[in-house]
Amino acid sequence: MHAGAWWVWALGLATAASRTTNPLLLGLLVGVAGYVVAARRTDAPWARSYGAFLKLGLVVLAIRLVFSVVLGSPIPGTHVLLSLPEVPLPDWAQGIRIGGRVTAEQLVFALYDGAKLATLLICVGAANALANPARLLKSLPGALYEAGVAVVVAMTFAPNLVADVVRLRTARRLRGRSTGGIRAIVQIGLPVLEGALERSVAVAASMDARGYGRTAAVPPAVRHTTTALTLGGLLGVCAGSYGLLAAEGAGYGLPVLLGGFAAALAGLWLGGRRQVRTRYRPDRWGARAWLVSGSGVVVAVLMIRAGSYAPEALHPAVVPPAAPTLPLLPAVSVLVGLLPAFVAPEPMSPKESS
């Protein structure tokens, strides 16, 4: 299946997560993403990074709560839980405080806000665990090939780093050595950094051997036209998106967005003429890819639509604190994201997927 379909599906879940602060819906989104990852991920190194993204989400949530306690919050509250010593600040730092009262309202607000950010990270981690970055690179337009290689190398750094840490911790455990403490962290960290450096040198050598950065000669007029179409198209996409989001720009937003998108595609097509590489057995966007990506888009659209008829359910009250409820229709729309667990092809081994 096309690797881009997994990213469209995951971005759809992330868009749905960005439209709500209800912890029940956010937990449901995390459960949907986790179930699909457990059912359809492979044994490749990048597929093992989902657990690291889960831990990262918990760390982000904890940091958000700590910041709320230490630095305060603009949310008013009457239920004081504790009072910390407050550090006096100069007059030019008005609006900022360190310490002071800690209320239940500000903690609930920080919990909801941190849970939303953690869910966004987990959705990105799901795409990182399911999509083969090498196959995703093959599907990029020719004009984005060099930037795509840099992005793929950056994306595969974290999964390979996690795999190295797990491998070294397992080796130390089998030798009867401790895997905790500062000394163990130092002894594990040095081989991990050494392995990362060796992989970087090997990737650079392979890219140079394959002619990375080599371009074909094109007339100056084509280069200037490509630049004008790409920049103008991106500006049109930004202006059209703003018009759709603004209350007064609905009339011109969609035409400007479509025109900018068409100009950007034309610029990318012209820019691809400078690339001299060819594609071997390119991935096809088949029926399964449409179902997988479409399920994520449906989740995002239905969640955005739910903001018009159930805003209170998507954003539980913080002042005064109220127990969140699970709205039926938004919850059912989130469950549409489970479709890839049943329609996506069975996981393949790393040798078969490469």
Side-chain angles (χ1 to χ4, degrees):
M1 191 180 66
H2 201 287
W6 287 120
W7 275 101
V8 175
W9 167 79
L11 292 177
L13 296 185
T15 302
S18 66
R19 309 296 295 188
T20 179
T21 57
N22 190 322
L24 300 180
L25 289 175
L26 294 176
L28 190 59
L29 284 168
V30 172
V32 167
Y35 182 82
V36 174
V37 169
R40 287 296 180 266
R41 70 175 176 180
T42 64
D43 294 330
W46 62 82
R48 304 171 189 171
S49 62
Y50 184 70
F53 278 93
L54 284 174
K55 296 177 182 178
L56 179 62
L58 294 177
V59 170
V60 168
L61 179 59
I63 292 176
R64 182 65 180 87
L65 290 174
V66 170
F67 278 9
S68 178
V69 171
V70 176
L71 302 180
S73 174
I75 301 299
T78 57
H79 299 80
V80 180
L81 300 179
L82 69 152
S83 296
L84 299 176
E86 187 170 355
V87 178
L89 298 176
D91 296 337
W92 55 266
Q94 291 183 358
I96 304 174
R97 68 178 178 87
I98 301 177
R101 299 189 314 160
V102 179
T103 63
E105 288 83 355
Q106 78 178 64
L107 287 183
V108 171
F109 176 79
L111 178 65
Y112 291 171
D113 194 45
K116 179 169 69 172
L117 181 57
T119 305
L120 292 175
L121 291 174
I122 291 171
C123 292
V124 174
N128 200 21
L130 292 169
N132 187 331
R135 302 190 73 88
L136 182 63
L137 175 62
K138 292 173 56 178
S139 304
L140 288 176
L144 301 178
Y145 173 71
E146 297 179 2
V149 170
V151 171
V152 168
V153 171
M155 286 170 50
T156 55
F157 175 77
N160 289 324
L161 193 68
V162 172
D164 286 347
V165 172
V166 172
R167 177 174 53 83
L168 292 173
R169 285 172 61 91
T170 303
R172 289 182 61 87
R173 194 178 298 113
L174 291 175
R175 293 185 177 96
R177 298 180 181 180
S178 174
T179 58
I182 301 299
R183 183 177 179 182
I185 293 176
V186 173
Q187 292 177 351
I188 292 175
L190 291 178
V192 168
L193 294 177
E194 182 181 358
L197 180 59
E198 291 179 355
R199 280 196 304 271
S200 300
V201 174
V203 168
S206 64
M207 291 166 61
D208 183 68
R210 290 172 172 84
Y212 178 75
R214 188 182 306 163
T215 58
V218 295
V222 176
R223 294 201 304 269
H224 298 331
T225 305
T226 301
T227 302
L229 286 175
T230 304
L231 293 180
L234 293 178
L235 290 176
V237 170
C238 293
S241 300
Y242 177 80
L244 290 178
L245 296 175
E248 296 83 5
Y252 71 87
L254 184 59
V256 173
L257 177 62
L258 294 178
F261 188 70
L265 288 180
L268 292 177
W269 178 76
L270 285 177
R273 297 176 59 183
R274 300 183 60 189
Q275 295 295 331
V276 295
R277 70 186 185 96
T278 58
R279 293 181 183 178
Y280 174 68
R281 296 174 61 186
D283 293 336
R284 302 297 181 184
W285 193 281
R288 290 182 174 181
W290 281 111
L291 290 174
V292 170
S293 59
S295 64
V297 173
V298 168
V299 171
V301 171
L302 292 180
M303 188 64 71
I304 294 173
R305 178 70 179 85
S308 61
Y309 64 82
E312 297 83 4
L314 298 185
H315 302 280
V318 177
V319 182
T325 59
L326 183 64
L328 179 59
L329 292 181
V332 173
S333 67
V334 171
L335 294 179
V336 176
L338 290 173
L339 184 62
F342 306 99
V343 301
E346 292 292 333
M348 296 184 298
S349 63
K351 183 181 296 185
E352 294 173 338
S353 61
S354 59

